[in-house]
Amino acid sequence: MGRAFEYRKAAKMKRWGHMAKTFTRIGKQIAIAVKSGGPEPENNPALRAIIANAKRENMPKDNIERAIKNAMGKDQSDYKEVTYEGYGPFGVAVFVDTLTDNTTRTVGDVRSVFNKFSGNLGTTGSLSFLFDHKSVFTFKKKDGIDMDELILDLIDYGVEDEYDEDEEEDSITIYGDPKSFGEIQKHLEENGFEVTGAEFTYIPNDLKEVTPEQRETLDKMVEKLEDFDDVQTVYTNMKPE
C-alpha cells in the first residue's frame, strides 16, 4: 500500500470518535453544494461527491435528505473555504481546512489553539512545500478492470500512476490534480464506476517522528481544533503509529 493510503487510514481511525461532528461538517458541505448547484444530485456533481462521502461515513439517508431540504431555505452565500497553516509543538506542521462565514472569528479560534500548545500560525502557503494537495477518488473494483488503461485515460487530469487497493473494502483509491476534480469524477461515473468517496486532501511528503508523549499532546491539539464548528479537517505531518 502507498504512503498516502497508510496516512489517510491512520487519520481516519483517529477521527472515528467524532461521528457527530462529522455529520455536522458534511451537512454544511451539502448546504454549500446545494446553494451553488441545486438540490438534485443527478444535476450537481459536487453534491453527488459529498453524498458519496456521507454514505462512506455511515451518515443515515434521512440525515442526508434533511440536510438537502434544509439547505434549500438557507442563505449560504457568505461561506468560504479558508486554510490556515503553521507549526504545532515539536516542529510538526499543521494544516487546518475551514468553512466559515466569519474569518475574524475563525482565525481567532485557530490561533488560540496554536498559542495554547506553543505553536505558531503562519502565513498562507508558508508550509505548502511539506504537503501535496490532491483530489482523491475511491471507487469499487469492477471485474476485469485494467488499471493501467484507466490511469492512461486519466493521465491528462494529473492522476498518478501509483494507486492504493483496499482488499477489505474491495475498492481502489486514485490521486489526481485538485483542479481536475470535476473531470476525474465525470470520467469515472461515465465509465460505470461506483464512486464511494471523492474529496480533497493534503498528504505530507515529509513525515516527522514523534514520541508517544509528544503524540498525545499533538492529538489533544488536533481535537481542540476539531471542536470548532468552522473546522472541516485537520492535517499534520506527524508520522502515523
Side-chain angles (χ1 to χ4, degrees):
M1 295 180 181
R3 166 179 58 89
F5 179 85
E6 289 299 326
Y7 177 80
R8 291 176 64 247
K9 181 179 179 182
K12 182 179 179 182
M13 290 177 66
K14 281 173 52 180
R15 288 196 286 270
W16 274 351
H18 300 271
M19 190 67 74
K21 177 64 187 297
T22 297
F23 291 172
T24 300
R25 171 176 56 83
I26 293 173
K28 187 181 289 188
Q29 293 173 351
I30 287 174
I32 301 301
V34 169
K35 180 69 178 181
S36 62
E40 301 297 334
E42 58 268 27
N43 300 321
N44 187 336
L47 182 57
R48 287 201 302 276
I50 295 168
I51 290 175
N53 293 338
K55 291 179 177 178
R56 187 179 62 183
E57 297 286 355
N58 297 316
M59 187 172 183
K61 182 180 178 181
D62 288 347
N63 291 41
I64 297 172
E65 292 176 347
R66 184 163 55 250
I68 293 173
K69 183 178 180 180
N70 290 342
M72 295 170 64
K74 293 182 178 180
D75 181 8
Q76 305 290 344
S77 58
D78 291 335
Y79 278 96
K80 60 181 178 180
E81 297 175 336
V82 183
T83 298
Y84 300 97
E85 53 198 271
Y87 283 104
F90 319 117
V92 171
V94 181
F95 262 53
V96 186
D97 268 350
T98 71
L99 192 58
T100 178
D101 61 349
N102 186 329
T103 55
T104 300
R105 177 192 66 224
T106 305
V107 71
D109 289 341
V110 172
R111 181 177 284 114
S112 71
V113 175
F114 273 81
N115 291 341
K116 178 180 177 64
F117 287 87
S118 302
N120 294 289
L121 191 61
T123 57
T124 301
S126 60
L127 300 184
S128 59
F129 68 97
L130 290 174
F131 292 82
D132 294 326
H133 191 201
K134 297 291 182 181
S135 59
V136 186
F137 290 86
T138 300
F139 52 89
K140 292 291 185 181
K141 288 192 293 186
K142 291 198 304 182
D143 291 339
I145 182 175
D146 185 332
M147 283 304 300
D148 290 337
E149 183 177 335
L150 178 61
I151 296 298
L152 187 61
D153 289 342
L154 292 170
I155 197 168
D156 288 340
Y157 304 130
V159 170
E160 300 176 355
D161 56 8
E162 179 183 346
Y163 57 89
D164 295 307
E165 195 167 346
D166 189 328
E167 298 290 347
E168 292 182 6
E169 298 291 335
D170 196 33
S171 65
I172 292 173
T173 299
I174 61 174
Y175 306 87
D177 186 339
K179 297 177 182 177
S180 300
F181 186 94
E183 290 90 341
I184 298 171
Q185 179 183 356
K186 181 179 179 181
H187 183 90
L188 291 173
E189 291 176 344
E190 288 182 345
N191 284 274
F193 290 98
E194 180 187 349
V195 177
T196 58
E199 60 188 341
F200 297 100
T201 193
Y202 287 92
I203 301 172
N205 54 47
D206 181 24
L207 295 174
K208 190 171 182 64
E209 294 271 6
V210 295
T211 67
E213 293 77 14
Q214 291 173 337
R215 184 181 304 279
E216 184 177 354
T217 298
L218 286 157
D219 284 345
K220 288 179 179 178
M221 178 183 181
V222 171
E223 289 175 4
K224 287 290 185 184
L225 288 167
E226 289 180 333
D227 281 342
F228 295 122
D229 287 340
D230 294 338
V231 172
Q232 297 287 289
T233 315
V234 181
Y235 306 93
T236 79
N237 70 337
M238 175 173 56
K239 188 174 183 177
E241 292 181 284

